[in-house]
């Protein structure tokens, strides 16, 4: 009987229909009288909560509001952007999706069989001609991948201390889902250790690009609603942002990118959303000056 109270698309994860026209009209920014500006700023200072969306979708492409110009990359442009680049991906299955997207998108990026589990890794792929190396390593316990050799239970902080770093190195970190059913203190301690390792990495190799993936909303079942709902994910998302605030890292706001998309929420977002996340990462790696202007690019 309890399950009748928790039904996806019935009384959970239900879209709110527009009360009026289901479209928006973008108007020019209005001119504000100079006398109003100090009043507006004083109200802003008194405000206890300041929220601002990190971006929006326009014609299925993510437009960031943090000043980053997000470009659209096809397979040729991805290869050009990543030429000579090593990408180390650490975390859970939500960033393993990024590894899988790259290996599926680049025909010359060949995987090595390391005799490891597809879920836990380690995984490695190499494009020898373009000198592109992509690796994936699962984070240390707690994990819910199933069985995993003890020899592969490596913590991200320890792995980062082994990375030489430099301008040709990109580090991606995504760690949140497996901690949702544990006390928040466990997650805080883990992130603090990772942050210290990131600082050490950037101190010895300032040119290294470090990208952090946030949490995202997921589909809800009765079990998930009672034990591991989006409320727990949101708490960890806030903690992650607070701990890495001020660090020289770039953020991929998976929470907003999933929330703003018309596709249903999933722990592992659909390919269209993953594609936009990868476009954000590639735009961090390759500013406009490094992007290949391919005539076939849409």
């Amino acid at each position: 009987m309890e399950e009748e109270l928790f039904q996806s698309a019935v009384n959970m994860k239900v879209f709110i229909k527009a009360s009026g026209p289901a479209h928006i009209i973008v108007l020019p920014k209005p001119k504000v009288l100079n006398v109003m500006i100090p009043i507006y700023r004083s109200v802003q200072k008194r405000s206890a909560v300041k929220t601002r969306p990190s971006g929006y979708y326009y014609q299925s492409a993510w437009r960031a509001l943090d000043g980053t110009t997000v470009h659209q990359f096809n397979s040729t442009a991805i290869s050009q952007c990543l030429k000579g680049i090593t990408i180390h991906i650490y975390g859970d299955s939500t960033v393993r999706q990024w590894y899988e997207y790259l290996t599926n998108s680049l025909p010359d990026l060949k995987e090595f069989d390391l005799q490891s589990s597809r879920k836990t890794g380690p995984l490695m792929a190499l494009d020898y001609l373009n000198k592109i190396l992509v690796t994936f390593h699962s984070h240390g316990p707690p994990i819910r991948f199933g069985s995993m050799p003890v020899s592969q239970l490596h913590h991200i902080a320890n792995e980062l201390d082994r990375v030489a770093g430099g301008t040709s190195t990109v580090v991606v970190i995504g760690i949140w889902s497996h901690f949702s059913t544990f006390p928040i203190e466990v997650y805080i301690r883990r992130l603090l250790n990772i942050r210290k390792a990131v600082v050490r990495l950037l101190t010895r190799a300032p040119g290294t690009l470090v990208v952090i993936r946030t949490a995202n909303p997921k589909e809800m079942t009765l079990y998930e609603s009672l034990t591991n709902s989006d409320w727990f994910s949101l708490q960890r998302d806030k903690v992650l942002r607070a701990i890495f605030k001020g660090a020289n890292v770039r953020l991929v706001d998976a929470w907003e990118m999933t929330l703003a998309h018309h596709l249903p929420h999933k722990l592992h977002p659909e390919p269209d959303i993953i594609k936009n996340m990868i476009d954000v990462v590639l735009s961090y790696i390759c500013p406009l000056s490094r992007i290949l202007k391919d005539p076939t690019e849409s």
Side-chain angles (χ1 to χ4, degrees):
M1 293 176 63
E2 194 176 39
E3 291 185 4
E4 295 181 3
L5 302 176
F6 297 88
Q7 300 182 57
S8 183
V10 176
N11 54 9
M12 294 193 309
K13 300 284 185 177
V14 181
F15 283 105
I16 301 175
K17 295 182 179 180
S19 58
H23 64 273
I24 61 172
I25 299 174
V26 180
L27 300 174
K29 185 177 181 180
K31 294 182 179 180
V32 182
L33 295 176
N34 291 336
V35 70
M36 293 296 293
I37 293 176
I39 299 175
Y40 172 70
R41 287 177 177 170
S42 65
V43 171
Q44 275 192 319
K45 291 179 180 179
R46 291 198 301 268
S47 177
V49 179
K50 297 179 182 180
T51 59
R52 184 173 185 264
S54 63
Y56 59 94
Y57 286 101
Y58 179 71
Q59 295 181 343
S60 300
W62 181 253
R63 307 293 181 92
L65 294 175
D66 63 355
T68 301
T69 301
V70 181
H71 305 281
Q72 302 299 299
F73 292 79
N74 60 15
S75 59
T76 304
I78 294 175
S79 294
Q80 178 68 17
C81 172
L82 296 182
K83 186 173 292 185
I85 297 292
T86 296
I87 303 179
H88 295 300
I89 302 175
Y90 303 98
D92 54 34
S93 56
T94 62
V95 282
R96 191 184 69 232
Q97 282 186 283
W98 295 9
Y99 172 91
E100 293 165 348
Y101 179 90
L102 291 174
T103 55
N104 291 332
S105 300
L106 302 179
D108 295 326
L109 190 62
K110 306 296 183 182
E111 286 196 83
F112 282 86
D113 185 2
L114 299 178
Q115 301 296 312
S116 59
S117 166
R118 290 295 305 176
K119 289 185 177 182
T120 62
L123 306 174
M124 181 172 68
L126 174 68
D127 178 347
Y128 182 79
L129 182 63
N130 290 305
K131 295 181 173 55
I132 302 171
L133 175 65
V134 184
T135 68
F136 167 78
H137 295 263
S138 168
H139 65 73
I143 56 172
R144 294 195 299 270
F145 284 134
S147 60
M148 183 177 180
V150 175
S151 60
Q152 300 298 342
L153 290 175
H154 298 163
H155 289 290
I156 294 176
N158 294 338
E159 291 294 307
L160 291 179
D161 285 336
R162 300 186 180 98
V163 175
T167 55
S168 61
T169 301
V170 178
V171 170
V172 173
I173 301 171
I175 175 171
W176 61 277
S177 178
H178 294 220
F179 288 79
S180 298
T181 53
F182 287 82
I184 194 69
E185 292 80 7
V186 177
Y187 190 55
I188 291 172
R189 285 197 297 268
R190 184 64 55 87
L191 288 186
L192 287 174
N193 285 329
I194 292 174
R195 191 188 194 281
K196 292 175 184 176
V198 167
V199 171
R200 290 194 295 269
L201 170 61
L202 294 177
T203 299
R204 67 177 180 272
T208 309
L209 174 63
V210 179
V211 179
I212 309 291
R213 184 202 192 279
T214 74
N216 62 263
K218 54 182 181 294
E219 66 272 38
M220 286 289 105
T221 63
L222 172 61
Y223 176 78
E224 289 285 338
S225 301
L226 296 176
T227 64
N228 194 12
S229 71
D230 284 345
W231 188 88
F232 296 102
S233 301
L234 183 60
Q235 308 315 306
R236 278 135 192 85
D237 185 73
K238 291 180 177 180
V239 164
L240 182 143
R241 294 169 190 266
I243 288 179
F244 282 97
K245 184 178 181 179
N248 186 22
V249 301
R250 306 304 295 268
L251 199 71
V252 174
D253 197 335
W255 189 274
E256 294 246 352
M257 294 183 75
T258 303
L259 196 66
H261 206 280
H262 64 82
L263 288 171
H265 299 167
K266 293 184 68 175
L267 173 62
H268 302 107
E270 296 287 355
D272 286 353
I273 301 176
I274 296 299
K275 195 264 184 200
N276 277 284
M277 291 180 183
I278 295 296
D279 284 340
V280 173
V281 176
L282 294 174
S283 297
Y284 290 153
I285 300 171
C286 301
L288 186 60
S289 59
R290 286 191 56 187
I291 294 179
L292 174 66
K293 294 300 182 180
D294 185 76
T296 63
E297 186 178 358
S298 59

